[in-house]
Amino acid sequence: MAEPTDEPFDVVFRAPRLIGPDGETSGNVAIRNGRIAAVEPLDARIEAAEVVELAEDEVLLPGLVDTHVHVNDPGRSEWEGFDTATRAAAAGGVTTIIDMPLNSLPPTTDVDALEVKRATAGPKAHVDIGFWGGAVPGNLADLRGLHDDGVYGFKCFLLHSGVDEFPPLGADELEDALRELASHDATMIVHAEDAHTIDGAPDAHGTHYDDFLGSRPQGAENIAIKQVIDLARETGARVHILHLSSAEALPLIAEARAEGVRITVETCPHYLGFIAEEIPDGATAFKCCPPIREARNRELLWQGLADGLIDCVVSDHSPCTPDLKRLDTGDFGVAWGGVSSLQLGLPAVWTQARQRGFALDDVVAWMARKPAEFAGLRGKGAIEIGRDADLCVFAPDEAFVVDVAKLRHRNPVSPYHGRPLAGVVRQTWLRGQRIVGGDTPEPAGRLLRRGEA
């Protein structure tokens, strides 16, 4: 059906295959003024100023929504800036990102810092951008102002974040912050690893991945997640577990949900694709926190997705300069912990998902619809009348080998280098404007505020 108006359509996509709200189908998707204005059967004759005919090997997807991206701009833009990050996102079919409150300088822990971040991002946004606020010791009084100014929620750490200007919350500080956020129904997103457990583990050192893995045990995640669940139950706050790598925590999450605790969970492509047993000595591009774990754990994470215990899959794109990855020494103990993958999430997940019998509409749910729902992005995440015309033309059966030199990320470092993947993004459209697959336009992204999109 179509919106009731006589205005002409700007663009129509004729798609023998598309992923709609109810799964894979076919149809014509018509765009007017940047929004989806009609979705009609494929044999319907719809006229528009521009017609995009999808090839037989292409599928029309909603633009992906990545709610976990570290852009690091301003202050550490040599790690990644908004221009390169949003170009990489667009090349990967991602049309909306939400930027983390660290590792930029200043971190996004008060309204003034948020305005600095917006002023930096606005002229460089090739996709739409929202922002998380930060919850750190001493900024409890700033949380409401950030919320009212449109951040999508608040991030905290329970151990050292990796940068001194974004310190962790202690147990009492976390409880106080959750009570404050519960008073205006804001979400706390948590890097959940227990500092005391990690302090008692062997130090990370040297080139052997197993030694690094032993320094970040699953127990550290499990204990921290239980603490978050207990405080969410007590305060009534909404909480979200970031980058889950420990499948051992899934029963805790299932029990909490059954009790009515408001908890959501994400994982990342690198936890679903890589396994500890195959990481070579000195391959510090694979270092991330929490770490990539063993094969059995990976399969249990996939089962968590199948069971609905894990809600979404997002990148946790956390890049740095090559020198900070210590590629010269391969020392996991001193290398920066973060995976650079923003452009590669869709093919990385699809490659693994189809091997396990999942369909493309499952991947779209995990990487578009559910992240949009989690963040409250009502105009994003689905091919549906009234939504933004954010679309991705995807060739799921075309294979390629990752070459980091050809990625749009600021620095050519990624554990995906040399890895064969299935699925190529051929076009990306943002609110009815082609931003990948044609002439490169001027930045067309918008800065989003909670409640507006």
Side-chain angles (χ1 to χ4, degrees), residues 55-96:
E56 290 185 358
D57 67 336
E58 295 176 338
V59 186
L60 188 65
L61 313 181
L64 304 187
V65 176
D66 193 335
T67 56
H68 194 153
V69 180
H70 294 267
V71 181
N72 314 321
D73 193 6
R76 292 189 175 99
S77 58
E78 70 275 14
W79 295 15
E80 188 77 274
F82 281 104
D83 179 66
T84 50
T86 56
R87 287 181 186 272
V94 177
T95 51
T96 305

XYZ file of all heavy atoms in Angstrom, residues 55-96:
307
model
N 19.337 -6.694 -9.469
C 19.717 -7.875 -10.237
C 19.237 -9.139 -9.534
O 18.855 -9.119 -8.354
C 21.232 -7.906 -10.406
N 19.276 -10.250 -10.262
C 18.783 -11.513 -9.709
C 19.565 -11.951 -8.476
O 19.024 -12.654 -7.615
C 18.851 -12.613 -10.770
C 17.840 -12.437 -11.906
C 17.872 -13.607 -12.867
O 18.712 -14.521 -12.649
O 17.089 -13.609 -13.825
N 20.839 -11.549 -8.385
C 21.656 -11.992 -7.245
C 21.675 -10.983 -6.114
O 22.467 -11.118 -5.178
C 23.086 -12.286 -7.710
C 23.844 -11.043 -8.161
O 23.186 -10.058 -8.560
O 25.091 -11.059 -8.117
N 20.796 -9.979 -6.149
C 20.786 -8.929 -5.139
C 19.534 -9.003 -4.269
O 18.462 -9.415 -4.731
C 20.866 -7.546 -5.796
C 22.177 -7.309 -6.537
C 22.216 -5.980 -7.263
O 21.136 -5.413 -7.558
O 23.337 -5.515 -7.570
N 19.682 -8.570 -3.028
C 18.578 -8.515 -2.079
C 18.540 -7.106 -1.498
O 19.584 -6.533 -1.148
C 18.743 -9.542 -0.940
C 17.508 -9.558 -0.046
C 19.027 -10.934 -1.493
N 17.337 -6.544 -1.366
C 17.184 -5.223 -0.767
C 16.982 -5.386 0.739
O 16.045 -6.050 1.183
C 15.990 -4.496 -1.387
C 15.830 -3.018 -0.991
C 16.996 -2.189 -1.520
C 14.503 -2.468 -1.503
N 17.874 -4.760 1.514
C 17.821 -4.822 2.968
C 17.582 -3.425 3.526
O 17.943 -2.428 2.901
C 19.158 -5.325 3.548
C 19.840 -6.548 2.956
C 21.126 -6.834 3.737
C 18.925 -7.745 2.971
N 17.026 -3.331 4.725
C 17.068 -2.035 5.412
C 18.508 -1.708 5.781
O 19.321 -2.600 6.021
C 16.204 -2.265 6.658
C 16.271 -3.731 6.901
C 16.391 -4.379 5.547
N 18.834 -0.419 5.819
C 20.157 -0.034 6.279
C 20.408 -0.548 7.678
O 19.518 -0.546 8.537
N 21.640 -0.992 7.933
C 21.968 -1.532 9.235
C 22.114 -0.413 10.263
O 22.401 0.737 9.922
C 23.262 -2.335 9.170
C 23.333 -3.484 8.164
C 24.614 -4.272 8.374
C 22.123 -4.400 8.253
N 21.920 -0.780 11.522
C 22.040 0.145 12.649
C 23.106 -0.411 13.583
O 22.955 -1.507 14.123
C 20.701 0.298 13.385
C 20.861 1.181 14.612
C 19.632 0.859 12.450
N 24.204 0.330 13.757
C 25.299 -0.118 14.610
C 25.357 0.791 15.831
O 25.767 1.946 15.757
C 26.630 -0.075 13.852
C 27.750 -0.813 14.579
O 27.665 -0.945 15.813
O 28.709 -1.253 13.912
N 24.927 0.248 16.958
C 24.807 1.037 18.183
C 26.068 1.013 19.044
O 26.046 1.492 20.177
C 23.621 0.533 19.027
O 23.798 -0.869 19.288
C 22.306 0.754 18.308
N 27.175 0.489 18.495
C 28.402 0.394 19.300
C 29.614 0.712 18.429
O 30.273 -0.187 17.907
C 28.534 -1.001 19.910
C 29.564 -1.090 20.988
N 29.488 -2.012 22.002
C 30.694 -0.378 21.231
C 30.520 -1.875 22.815
N 31.280 -0.880 22.348
N 29.908 2.007 18.298
C 31.017 2.459 17.452
C 31.845 3.478 18.218
O 31.312 4.449 18.763
C 30.496 3.085 16.141
C 31.662 3.544 15.275
C 29.625 2.094 15.372
N 33.156 3.276 18.239
C 34.089 4.236 18.830
C 34.714 5.048 17.697
O 35.555 4.536 16.954
C 35.200 3.513 19.602
C 34.738 2.776 20.805
N 34.720 3.337 22.069
C 34.270 1.507 20.950
C 34.276 2.442 22.944
N 33.993 1.324 22.292
N 34.310 6.301 17.571
C 34.854 7.136 16.496
C 36.091 7.899 16.963
O 36.979 8.195 16.167
C 33.782 8.086 15.940
C 34.337 8.939 14.821
C 32.578 7.277 15.410
N 36.199 8.248 18.229
C 37.414 8.831 18.819
C 37.691 10.267 18.384
O 38.823 10.753 18.544
C 38.654 7.975 18.500
C 38.445 6.501 18.722
O 37.787 6.105 19.682
N 38.959 5.685 17.840
N 36.703 10.928 17.851
C 36.858 12.267 17.288
C 35.913 13.211 18.035
O 34.722 12.886 18.165
C 36.484 12.189 15.797
C 36.885 13.407 14.997
O 37.564 14.289 15.543
O 36.512 13.462 13.810
N 36.439 14.343 18.584
C 37.789 14.888 18.472
C 38.744 14.286 19.498
O 38.337 13.541 20.380
C 37.571 16.373 18.772
C 36.454 16.365 19.780
C 35.533 15.247 19.332
N 40.001 14.646 19.349
C 41.006 14.309 20.339
C 41.903 13.159 19.953
O 43.109 13.202 20.199
N 41.317 12.107 19.374
C 42.115 10.976 18.910
C 41.686 10.598 17.490
O 41.546 9.408 17.156
C 41.966 9.780 19.856
C 42.589 10.003 21.238
C 42.616 8.719 22.051
N 43.307 8.899 23.329
C 42.697 9.108 24.497
N 41.365 9.186 24.546
N 43.399 9.251 25.603
N 41.486 11.599 16.668
C 40.995 11.339 15.314
C 42.017 10.601 14.463
O 41.665 10.054 13.410
C 40.582 12.642 14.622
O 41.668 13.545 14.575
N 43.284 10.540 14.915
C 44.249 9.721 14.185
C 43.937 8.227 14.357
O 44.388 7.390 13.566
C 45.684 10.029 14.637
C 46.050 9.578 16.029
C 45.663 10.576 17.116
O 44.873 11.515 16.837
O 46.153 10.427 18.260
N 43.152 7.882 15.376
C 42.678 6.505 15.527
C 41.520 6.242 14.561
O 41.471 5.227 13.894
C 42.195 6.247 16.949
C 43.222 6.325 18.020
C 44.481 6.879 17.939
C 43.090 5.844 19.351
N 45.118 6.774 19.131
C 44.306 6.147 20.030
C 42.075 5.207 20.043
C 44.510 5.807 21.370
C 42.270 4.876 21.379
C 43.470 5.161 22.036
N 40.562 7.154 14.564
C 39.410 7.111 13.646
C 38.677 8.431 13.789
O 38.471 8.916 14.915
C 38.466 5.956 13.989
C 37.352 5.723 12.976
C 37.861 5.005 11.729
O 38.355 5.715 10.820
O 37.774 3.763 11.680
N 38.270 9.025 12.667
C 37.499 10.251 12.686
C 36.124 10.033 12.077
O 35.832 8.987 11.496
N 35.262 11.035 12.199
C 33.897 10.875 11.699
C 33.849 10.729 10.186
O 32.981 10.023 9.663
C 33.026 12.049 12.159
C 32.575 11.911 13.577
C 33.158 12.663 14.592
C 31.586 11.000 13.921
C 32.742 12.530 15.910
C 31.168 10.846 15.227
C 31.753 11.617 16.237
N 34.744 11.366 9.462
C 34.725 11.215 8.007
C 35.023 9.780 7.611
O 34.260 9.152 6.866
C 35.734 12.170 7.367
C 35.756 12.034 5.850
O 34.739 12.364 5.207
O 36.778 11.567 5.301
N 36.121 9.223 8.103
C 36.483 7.862 7.715
C 35.521 6.834 8.301
O 35.151 5.866 7.630
C 37.922 7.547 8.159
O 38.092 7.903 9.546
C 38.921 8.309 7.319
N 35.098 7.028 9.547
C 34.192 6.056 10.174
C 32.868 5.980 9.428
O 32.346 4.883 9.172
C 33.957 6.415 11.636
N 32.302 7.112 9.078
C 30.983 7.081 8.437
C 31.082 6.655 6.969
O 30.138 6.073 6.436
C 30.267 8.428 8.574
O 31.079 9.480 8.042
C 29.950 8.715 10.034
N 32.202 6.909 6.313
C 32.400 6.347 4.971
C 32.494 4.825 5.049
O 31.938 4.114 4.200
C 33.667 6.917 4.326
C 33.551 8.366 3.865
C 34.850 8.820 3.217
N 34.835 10.230 2.893
C 34.384 10.755 1.760
N 33.882 9.950 0.824
N 34.425 12.050 1.545
N 33.221 4.317 6.046
C 33.322 2.869 6.223
C 31.963 2.259 6.539
O 31.600 1.192 6.024
C 34.326 2.544 7.325
N 31.203 2.930 7.412
C 29.866 2.438 7.731
C 29.023 2.331 6.475
O 28.388 1.290 6.208
C 29.206 3.369 8.738
N 29.000 3.397 5.678
C 28.193 3.399 4.457
C 28.628 2.291 3.514
O 27.793 1.591 2.912
C 28.289 4.762 3.772
N 29.926 2.082 3.376
C 30.424 1.028 2.491
C 30.006 -0.349 2.981
O 29.926 -1.301 2.180
C 31.936 1.110 2.387
N 29.725 -0.480 4.265
C 29.284 -1.751 4.832
C 27.786 -1.890 4.972
O 27.308 -2.829 5.614
N 27.020 -0.952 4.392
C 25.565 -1.038 4.471
C 24.987 -0.503 5.758
O 23.785 -0.656 6.019
N 25.810 0.157 6.589
C 25.361 0.725 7.859
C 24.958 2.174 7.617
O 25.776 2.989 7.180
C 26.469 0.653 8.922
C 26.015 1.311 10.216
C 26.888 -0.793 9.165
N 23.725 2.517 7.918
C 23.229 3.874 7.674
C 23.028 4.686 8.936
O 22.775 5.887 8.855
C 21.907 3.820 6.883
O 21.009 2.915 7.531
C 22.158 3.348 5.455
N 23.149 4.052 10.095
C 23.043 4.752 11.378
C 24.054 4.168 12.346
O 24.136 2.943 12.491
C 21.638 4.613 11.995
O 20.663 5.057 11.068
C 21.525 5.422 13.277
